Amino acid sequence: MLNALEVFTTVVVGVMVGVEFAVAFVMNRIFNALPEDSDQLARSHGGRMLGAVMPFWYIGSLVLVAVWAAAGWHHRGTGLVVTSGALLLLSVVMSLLLLVPINQQSKTWTPENRPEDWKEQMNRWDRYHYVRVAVIIAAFALLVVALV
């Protein structure tokens, strides 16, 4: 049963990492290349869509890692799992303090009501997101190593 939990948790976290990596290094670059107001409209839509799903995914991943750590407390690799959980917790805190406030505003923007500095705010969100992606990649890598 523990093996199934380990594999399931690693897959859930890995897919989350893939989505966030794609947002950072694929989707946002596509959005930036769109003409006129399309970039801002695409980011607003993405903020609404992913903003509804990602909190459950982040918290769910953290819970799965905590259950893995508790269930496998006396098994090898538990230190890696606990460290991974700490990194996932850091990513949740980063999200709540840095990314969500920007996302909450930007998901309501339209070309008519967006602030003058909307691009600067999106660039700030992107920078925070790059750091968060690095954190969750590290958490994922630790889970993979813990499986070995």
Side-chain angles (χ1 to χ4, degrees), residues 14-143:
V15 174
M16 180 180 73
V17 167
V19 169
E20 293 291 34
F21 185 90
V23 167
F25 298 104
V26 179
M27 298 309 300
N28 285 346
R29 291 182 185 198
I30 291 170
F31 294 164
N32 291 339
L34 294 173
E36 299 177 19
D37 294 324
S38 299
D39 174 22
Q40 184 264 305
L41 292 169
R43 283 176 172 265
S44 292
H45 180 67
R48 287 187 300 274
M49 190 179 89
L50 290 173
V53 174
M54 296 315 284
F56 299 103
W57 210 339
Y58 273 81
I59 299 298
S61 295
L62 181 56
V63 168
L64 285 169
V65 169
V67 171
W68 175 356
W73 191 251
H74 297 291
H75 293 81
R76 64 177 174 74
T78 301
L80 296 170
V81 176
V82 169
T83 305
S84 174
L87 290 172
L88 289 175
L89 179 60
L90 173 63
S91 75
V92 169
V93 170
M94 288 176 60
S95 297
L96 292 172
L97 296 179
L98 303 173
L99 290 115
V100 168
I102 298 169
N103 192 59
Q104 289 297 93
Q105 293 175 9
S106 68
K107 70 183 185 180
T108 65
W109 294 343
T110 66
E112 294 78 30
N113 73 0
R114 67 185 179 211
E116 290 292 321
D117 69 339
W118 74 273
K119 285 189 180 186
E120 290 82 13
Q121 291 188 50
M122 291 295 89
N123 288 335
R124 187 173 346 113
W125 188 93
D126 289 344
R127 288 190 304 273
Y128 294 150
H129 185 64
Y130 293 142
V131 174
R132 180 174 63 178
V133 169
V135 168
I136 65 174
I137 287 172
F140 173 65
L142 290 171
L143 293 179

